[in-house]
Amino acid sequence: MTSTAELIELSERRSAHNYHPLPVVIREAQGAWVVDVEGRRYLDCLSGYSSLNFGHGNAKIIEAAREQLDRLTLTSRAFFHDRFAAFAAGLADLTGKDMVLPMNTGAEAVETAIKVARKWGYQVKGVARDQANIVVMEDNFHGRTTTIVSFSTDPDARDDYGPYTPGFRIVKYGSAEAVREAVDADTVAVMVEPIQGEAGVLVPPDGYLRQIREICTENNVLMIADEIQSGLGRTGETFACEHEGVVPDVYVLGKALGGGVVPVSAIAADQDVLGVIRPGQHGSTFGGNPLACAVACAVIEILRTGEYQARARELGGVLHERLRGLVGRSGVVAVRGRGLWAGIDIDPSIATGREVSEALMARGVLAKDTHGSTIRLAPPIVVSEEDLLWAVDQLAEAVGELAG
Ligand SMILES: Cc1ncc(COP(=O)(O)O)c(C=O)c1O
């Protein structure tokens, strides 16, 4: 058997170093637990950045994938296939929208939303050619394409990738007033993460999303909610926008839509918006493939019961209560989040997020820092209450130990 150190060395030697993984080599997983090549078990508190909301090896999802693998995996959209109709109708129903447009990764879905908003702006709203602007937020994370990093405020994500795509106005996250000031006659969309995940699980002030909804409606501007990380059960609702009773014009979905099996993303919108796309104007070889549709249909079925949303809500209450108890002691400066999703700020004079993640790993908990000294906890929703509280205890003890 090749050792952990050897596997890491071999992995790093022949791949670009665009990630800085924790030094663990995972071999298998079930539910909320993963096992490394040495047989050590860890509680997964990252869930593939919320791609594994329904747990590793979820029986319903794996069964759907297996059945599909044996029958039909890829056709391209040059033809229809027998899983597409159920996927499109299922996701449209789940979002309450007329139609969907499937892609693969989150970034592709964000790109799709941007393209659709611009085309809608020119063809429906009547914005003069190439004058459209989209309002976006500081500290956003929407993916890694050249257009998306053009409106990133994170130097790591953006620097040295210019020339940048124009047409974006960046305003302070959490300030509806800033959105109102940025919107003009050429604004076609406001794009927002209902909770900013990569920025540190930042929950905006109450009423923020509602106010953005109002500004968009008043100004004939599309509200685009990037629910790639916040959506599909994570926060205790199907969509994080629901916490404010807000319905955006465009949902952008990804991550958990693929059930932790394959990349599946999509946007969902009504006919008056998504209807602007005609044959040949946008697409993807793999988007909406039979395997992706089979897996996504299983995910949609799971979400339809509301069982996972309720569990994330309930366990989220337990998690946040326990985390609040840590603030002000053991080096924990602040905690926030919603449902089974938390950002925990550690006093930076005690340790970096990386050091805390490594200390947690040594204690059997896999979690990752977002920025600086913030740790994100986002376990699969199948996690037991006992395991969840154990993980929080490990965090408290690890930080306490680092504090000396
Ligand atoms: C809110 C949000 N949007 C978009 C993306 C990009 O998704 P992907 O990595 O699948 O391209 C992410 C990934 O973390 C995300 O959190």
Side-chain angles (χ1 to χ4, degrees):
M1 193 184 73
T2 320
S3 75
T4 297
E6 280 171 302
L7 284 168
I8 290 175
E9 203 275 319
L10 287 168
S11 303
E12 295 284 59
R13 196 191 306 164
R14 301 301 293 272
S15 73
H17 296 174
N18 55 330
Y19 281 90
H20 182 27
L22 289 173
V24 56
V25 182
I26 298 167
R27 186 183 63 201
E28 57 189 70
Q30 192 59 44
W33 289 86
V34 305
V35 182
D36 75 5
V37 288
E38 321 261 352
R40 277 188 296 257
R41 294 174 80 234
Y42 304 85
L43 186 67
D44 181 357
C45 284
L46 182 65
S47 305
Y49 302 100
S50 290
S51 299
L52 286 150
N53 284 359
F54 315 108
H56 292 271
N58 181 291
K60 284 199 177 104
I61 297 171
I62 296 297
E63 189 189 318
R66 276 219 181 93
E67 194 270 334
Q68 194 59 41
L69 272 174
D70 284 340
R71 202 154 57 77
L72 176 71
T73 52
L74 193 69
T75 55
S76 86
R77 296 285 306 278
F79 316 111
F80 289 94
H81 64 76
D82 69 346
R83 305 309 301 249
F84 193 79
F87 162 76
L91 191 57
D93 286 348
L94 189 77
T95 55
K97 297 294 183 189
D98 292 342
M99 47 176 64
V100 302
L101 197 168
M103 298 296 283
N104 310 283
T105 63
E108 285 175 296
V110 170
E111 287 277 353
T112 303
I114 292 168
K115 288 170 80 173
V116 167
R118 285 179 170 181
K119 203 177 260 298
W120 172 87
Y122 300 127
Q123 296 190 350
V124 179
K125 181 166 177 173
V127 172
R129 178 178 285 245
D130 293 345
Q131 295 308 303
N133 70 71
I134 295 178
V135 177
V136 296
M137 309 307 156
E138 266 174 28
D139 299 323
N140 68 72
F141 188 83
H142 296 287
R144 302 284 193 177
T145 64
T146 42
T147 286
I148 294 172
V149 301
S150 294
F151 58 85
S152 171
T153 55
D154 173 2
D156 277 342
R158 184 176 197 275
D159 284 0
D160 294 331
Y161 293 129
Y164 299 107
T165 307
F168 298 94
R169 294 183 174 172
I170 303 169
V171 302
K172 193 171 159 46
Y173 186 67
S175 166
E177 213 33 59
V179 172
R180 193 180 290 284
E181 279 167 22
V183 166
D184 67 12
D186 292 333
T187 304
V188 295
V190 174
M191 183 160 67
V192 63
E193 293 163 83
I195 292 175
Q196 282 191 329
E198 296 310 298
V201 195
L202 301 184
V203 182
D206 268 354
Y208 175 63
L209 298 174
R210 231 173 9 251
Q211 284 174 284
I212 290 183
R213 175 66 277 177
E214 283 164 17
I215 294 165
C216 287
T217 304
E218 281 165 20
N219 292 279
N220 192 24
V221 162
L222 300 177
M223 178 179 181
I224 301 174
D226 180 345
E227 294 255 16
I228 287 170
Q229 197 165 161
S230 60
L232 309 184
R234 172 59 50 197
T235 68
E237 299 287 351
T238 307
F239 305 108
C241 282
E242 289 176 64
H243 292 285
E244 289 203 22
V246 162
V247 178
D249 298 295
V250 180
Y251 285 104
V252 189
L253 303 171
K255 294 199 193 281
L257 192 56
V261 178
V262 282
V264 186
S265 68
I267 73 165
D270 281 338
Q271 160 76 35
D272 57 336
V273 176
L274 212 31
V276 299
I277 300 287
R278 312 296 308 157
Q281 296 178 347
H282 188 55
S284 156
T285 302
F286 292 96
N289 69 70
L291 182 59
C293 287
V295 164
C297 280
V299 166
I300 292 161
E301 278 308 307
I302 285 172
L303 284 166
R304 245 201 276 271
T305 67
E307 188 189 318
Y308 279 78
Q309 296 90 322
R311 188 174 172 83
R313 219 163 27 239
E314 226 168 83
L315 285 179
V318 173
L319 170 69
H320 290 286
E321 193 191 324
R322 182 66 73 100
L323 285 174
R324 275 194 298 273
L326 300 183
V327 179
R329 58 188 190 94
S330 25
V332 175
V333 176
V335 297
R336 59 192 165 263
R338 202 158 249 167
L340 266 186
W341 201 17
I344 300 123
D345 295 338
I346 309 295
D347 179 348
S349 71
I350 291 176
T352 62
R354 174 76 187 190
E355 285 162 344
V356 177
S357 302
E358 284 172 0
L360 276 173
M361 190 190 116
R363 290 168 167 274
V365 176
L366 293 185
K368 203 78 203 288
D369 43 310
T370 56
H371 276 114
S373 292
T374 301
I375 300 291
R376 167 208 346 237
L377 289 184
I381 301 169
V382 295
V383 69
S384 73
E385 183 174 330
E386 194 189 346
D387 290 346
L388 181 66
L389 293 177
W390 172 80
V392 177
D393 289 346
Q394 298 314 305
L395 175 69
E397 284 173 29
V399 178
E401 221 167 70
L402 285 162

